[in-house]
Amino acid sequence: MRITKNTWVLLLILLAGAGWVAGDSAYFRPKPIAFKVPKGWPRPVYDFSKNPLTEEGFALGKKLFYDGRLSKDGSFSCGTCHQQFGAFNTYDHSLSHGFNNAFTTRNAPGLFNLAWQKDFMWDGGINHLDLQPLAPITAENEMAETLENVITKLKADKEYRKLFKAAFGDETINTQRIGKALSQFMLQLVSSNSKYDKVKRGEASFILPEQLGYQIFLQKCASCHTEPLFTDYSYRNIGLKMDDVLKDPGRMRITNRSEDSLKFKVPSLRNVAMTFPYGHDGRFFSLMSVFEHYRKNMVVSATTDPLFRNKLALSNYEIGQLTAFLYTLTDSSFLKDPRFAAPGANNNTKPPIDIHR
């Protein structure tokens, strides 16, 4: 049978109509992003099959991450407390500022290499990355908003409706999609290009103090700050005295077990030169104050980690070499990566660094 020009036109109309009836999903073709695991690193624990990375999902997540409308008065975004030049921590502040000038109760940690992390928060109170942002969004002393109000604000924005459609196939905006989009942005925050990494790849060499510091690190620090992530993600009591005001019991607040009193997650040492102040409540404003705690100021109790029952012997010489090594964990390319920068940010600038820290 001869197919005429008019027949082709009719077929095209019918096909278009079929697509229209089937819904927008018939044309849903997001562009996938391959998640690259650095050579020698363990497999991520995040299940990407339930939230595949796409360019559209990443773009939506980035916009949400830097949007103040996720907070009650529009003043606070995720990026307000997680600043890129500080490896996405709150740079130089022990506690972040939240809604109505309230202080948060914990130090905002750096955000990177989250695909390898099972639990979140200093006490491990949240067990999935997709759920983690819901806590600061709804906390009264942080962003102080309700999820219902956030969704209402996003639905009223034509651009957001387009972005959700591009990322998920239709304009539906809900809590699950907000969490997944934010995860897609945060999962891409991989820090793996410090001098340490270049040395491991054979692209650079440690100078003598860095090499000596690395050997000291392997002897005295690596059991908790395990390579290549520089944390074992465990919860440990490192001999901290409970703050008289915050009265934070740590992991015990989640488990209700007395043996978890004052246990907090072991933080990663990657980018440690940029993530001060240190500790769950930011009580240590320099690496030197951390070293002083371990060698002199620990409060040994029944729940103190056995590794520290006799404190940690560190000489001034060892501290100097350790510091040199820890500075090799700074990933400058990550701190300036334009893919992760806030809209309008100038990544050629950087915050001042006190050389005496």
Side-chain angles (χ1 to χ4, degrees):
M1 181 181 70
R2 183 184 176 191
I3 300 178
T4 65
K5 181 178 179 182
N6 288 338
T7 303
W8 278 116
V9 171
L10 180 60
L11 285 171
L12 289 172
I13 292 173
L14 290 172
L15 288 171
W20 180 267
V21 171
D24 294 335
S25 60
Y27 305 104
F28 180 51
R29 295 290 186 274
K31 299 176 183 177
I33 296 177
F35 185 81
K36 298 179 181 179
V37 179
K39 185 178 180 180
W41 285 35
R43 292 177 60 85
V45 298
Y46 187 87
D47 187 354
F48 290 96
S49 68
K50 296 181 179 179
N51 187 23
L53 300 184
T54 65
E55 292 183 10
E56 294 80 1
F58 175 86
L60 172 58
K62 179 178 179 178
K63 182 173 176 63
L64 289 167
F65 188 85
Y66 288 113
D67 195 337
R69 283 176 289 182
L70 269 63
S71 67
K72 186 172 184 177
D73 63 0
S75 299
F76 303 95
S77 70
C78 304
T80 301
C81 293
H82 295 281
Q83 301 160 298
Q84 184 179 13
F85 54 72
F88 290 94
N89 86 325
T90 300
Y91 184 86
D92 207 20
H93 285 259
S94 55
L95 303 172
S96 303
H97 296 260
F99 175 73
N100 199 25
N101 259 351
F103 277 106
T104 59
T105 58
R106 288 179 177 165
N107 177 253
L111 298 181
F112 48 84
N113 302 337
L114 300 175
W116 288 269
Q117 191 167 327
K118 292 181 180 180
D119 304 312
F120 301 87
M121 314 297 275
W122 280 100
D123 55 20
I126 296 177
N127 63 6
H128 200 288
L129 181 61
D130 295 1
L131 301 175
Q132 193 283 327
L134 307 184
I137 289 173
T138 58
E140 293 183 0
N141 61 344
E142 295 189 54
M143 299 166 82
E145 187 53 289
T146 67
L147 296 174
E148 292 79 7
N149 285 345
V150 169
I151 292 170
T152 298
K153 286 185 278 188
L154 298 183
K155 284 182 176 179
D157 188 309
K158 183 178 181 180
E159 182 182 0
Y160 264 120
R161 296 198 301 271
K162 289 181 178 179
L163 288 171
F164 273 89
K165 180 179 178 179
F168 297 107
D170 59 59
E171 294 186 358
T172 301
I173 300 176
N174 56 33
T175 301
Q176 182 185 54
R177 288 184 172 183
I178 292 171
K180 285 188 171 184
L182 283 167
S183 285
Q184 290 203 37
F185 174 71
M186 292 188 289
L187 286 164
Q188 288 289 84
L189 302 177
V190 176
S191 179
S192 62
N193 198 37
S194 64
K195 182 176 181 179
Y196 160 85
D197 296 300
K198 294 174 183 176
V199 170
K200 288 295 181 178
R201 296 196 298 258
E203 301 168 7
S205 300
F206 288 136
I207 62 173
L208 182 58
E210 294 167 347
Q211 181 61 43
L212 294 171
Y214 182 41
Q215 295 305 316
I216 297 167
F217 170 84
L218 292 175
Q219 296 167 13
K220 300 195 173 187
C221 311
S223 57
C224 300
H225 297 283
T226 311
E227 300 173 84
L229 297 165
F230 287 88
T231 174
D232 63 357
Y233 296 116
S234 63
Y235 301 88
R236 298 176 187 261
N237 180 336
I238 60 169
L240 295 173
K241 180 183 177 183
M242 183 180 286
D243 184 276
D244 293 334
V245 176
L246 298 176
K247 299 186 184 303
D248 191 339
R251 181 74 172 157
M252 187 176 75
R253 191 169 72 174
I254 304 302
T255 66
N256 290 319
R257 299 188 307 183
S258 59
E259 58 266 35
D260 287 333
S261 175
L262 294 174
K263 288 184 178 180
F264 296 92
K265 181 178 291 180
V266 174
S268 174
L269 294 180
R270 284 185 172 272
N271 300 297
V272 68
M274 301 303 298
T275 55
F276 59 87
Y278 309 109
H280 68 280
D281 54 9
R283 68 178 67 186
F284 303 117
F285 265 83
S286 68
L287 285 174
M288 189 64 208
S289 61
V290 174
F291 293 136
E292 287 295 292
H293 166 75
Y294 277 114
R295 71 175 182 172
K296 294 181 180 180
N297 300 325
M298 294 179 66
V299 178
V300 179
S301 67
T303 62
T304 302
D305 194 281
L307 290 172
F308 306 121
R309 291 288 168 81
N310 296 315
K311 301 183 181 178
L312 184 62
L314 286 171
S315 68
N316 289 342
Y317 168 80
E318 288 175 316
I319 288 173
Q321 311 312 301
L322 269 174
T323 302
F325 168 69
L326 292 176
Y327 271 68
T328 72
L329 301 180
T330 300
D331 184 351
S332 298
S333 59
F334 172 70
L335 303 178
K336 297 181 180 181
D337 195 322
R339 293 177 300 162
F340 311 136
N346 179 4
N347 275 13
N348 293 320
T349 61
K350 57 183 179 180
I353 298 177
D354 183 349
I355 62 173
H356 301 293
R357 287 188 181 274

